[in-house]
Amino acid sequence: MTDLRPWRGVLVATALPLTDDLSVDYDRYAEHCAWLVANGCDGVVPNGSLGEYQVLTPEERTRVVETAVAAIGGERVMPGVAAYGSAEARRWTEQAGEAGCRAVMLLPPNAYRADERAVLAHYAAVAAAGLPVVAYNNPVDTKVDLVPELLARLHGEGHIHAVKEFSGDVRRAYRIAELAPELDLLIGADDVLLELAIAGAKGWVAGYPNALPRACVDLYRAAVTGDLDTALPLYRQLHPLLRWDSRVEFVQSIKLSMDLVGRHGGPCRPPRVPLDAGQEAAVRAATEKAVAAGLA
């Protein structure tokens, strides 16, 4: 993987395997990263929300990145570097660079509802570390919306090279392309994959490949090449699972699907709690249907 834009392709926002006592199982994590690449994924994004970064210690967070790099090479690893403060996010970016990574993914300030000036200052501070930054727009959780006009300004000032778009508003793809044609759009929510692929997305920061990598990669490749005869039926088959990526319980859901297909999903750290009976039944039924269809 030698592309100078390592955020392109299918990069899996990795779930983090925990043991029964909720400690990180680094050996299992290394094996998982290697398994994803062996099954067609282009790389991984550790220390994102799916990786439960908010409840990791600094030592754990550092070791997660180092484990992924040792397993698959730094050119395939794009860590999340979100933090409450810009200085801390910059330190995580520097750590990623020291580990051998070639890009990072950064949320806007999320300790409060930041205004545009604060967002610009935050991305400028982190970009000054010298690694390419992929913005992550998740207005649902951060309460800060990186609208197309703001993304264009961030890109124009050299602070970001791509954006993981998680707003769910697929119309934004076209506005972003008009305002910042050189800014790479990355699919940020699994359940709008086809819509954003058709709109010109250059990559997918993905959740469900943790459980179903080959089927998800096949879907992405068909979608971005315009092969709708292949993509649309596969998208319909996978969508009952993909939509869980946009639910509050996305970590628990993806980990359950991993368990059901023979991978290790395992528990989550508090304050996340297990799925309730109805949620578990729905994820279980959708996963078993995908397995029966040969998608695992």
Side-chain angles (χ1 to χ4, degrees):
M1 188 174 179
T2 58
D3 197 327
L4 296 177
R5 295 161 295 192
W7 49 84
R8 290 192 168 191
V10 179
L11 272 67
V12 184
T14 41
L16 189 62
L18 304 177
T19 63
D20 290 342
D21 67 0
L22 302 185
S23 59
V24 179
D25 190 332
Y26 295 102
D27 290 341
R28 262 201 171 117
Y29 183 61
E31 188 274 335
H32 185 56
C33 292
W35 179 77
L36 290 170
V37 170
N39 279 273
C41 301
D42 296 294
V44 300
V45 181
N47 292 338
S49 298
L50 186 49
E52 302 178 66
Y53 81 92
Q54 301 97 330
V55 292
L56 298 181
T57 67
E59 293 77 17
E60 288 171 332
R61 199 167 164 179
T62 298
R63 190 171 170 188
V64 165
V65 172
E66 292 171 347
T67 299
V69 170
I72 61 173
E75 70 278 6
R76 293 184 180 271
V77 180
M78 183 174 75
V81 294
Y84 283 139
S86 302
E88 185 182 359
R90 176 168 174 165
R91 285 194 294 272
W92 285 123
T93 302
E94 292 168 345
Q95 183 266 331
E98 291 165 1
C101 305
R102 297 183 182 176
V104 296
M105 188 176 71
L106 176 65
L107 283 164
N110 55 39
Y112 67 102
R113 193 189 299 267
D115 62 17
E116 184 170 310
R117 291 188 306 134
V119 170
L120 289 164
H122 181 65
Y123 278 94
V126 176
L131 278 185
V133 173
V134 172
Y136 179 6
N137 185 37
N138 186 346
V140 176
D141 291 330
T142 66
K143 310 305 179 187
V144 178
D145 196 354
L146 303 179
V147 296
E149 291 76 12
L150 180 51
L151 289 169
R153 185 171 177 189
L154 287 166
H155 180 256
E157 296 187 13
H159 302 327
I160 64 172
H161 295 257
V163 57
K164 174 186 175 182
E165 229 301 309
F166 194 81
S167 71
D169 182 356
V170 298
R171 295 169 295 186
R172 293 188 180 196
Y174 302 95
R175 183 65 172 154
I176 291 169
E178 291 169 6
L179 295 173
E182 300 304 315
L183 178 66
D184 279 354
L185 173 69
L186 309 183
I187 301 156
D190 292 359
D191 56 347
V192 291
L193 179 145
L194 184 61
E195 294 82 355
L196 290 183
I198 292 170
K202 304 299 184 184
W204 177 21
V205 180
Y208 250 95
N210 278 286
L212 303 169
R214 286 197 178 275
C216 288
V217 168
D218 288 346
L219 170 59
Y220 173 80
R221 305 286 186 223
V224 296
T225 57
D227 179 7
L228 296 185
D229 289 339
T230 299
L232 190 54
L234 192 49
Y235 193 45
R236 285 182 172 136
Q237 285 181 295
L238 288 169
H239 210 272
L241 287 173
L242 299 182
R243 67 181 65 128
W244 282 94
D245 185 55
S246 296
R247 299 279 297 272
V248 172
E249 307 84 8
F250 71 109
V251 181
Q252 299 96 314
S253 302
I254 290 171
K255 282 192 164 187
L256 174 57
S257 290
M258 292 170 68
D259 287 332
L260 293 171
V261 301
R263 303 299 297 166
H264 176 80
C268 298
R269 282 184 178 174
R272 285 190 168 91
V273 295
L275 299 173
D276 66 31
Q279 294 165 340
E280 180 177 342
V283 174
R284 184 178 294 273
T287 306
E288 290 174 349
K289 189 173 182 179
V291 171
L295 301 181

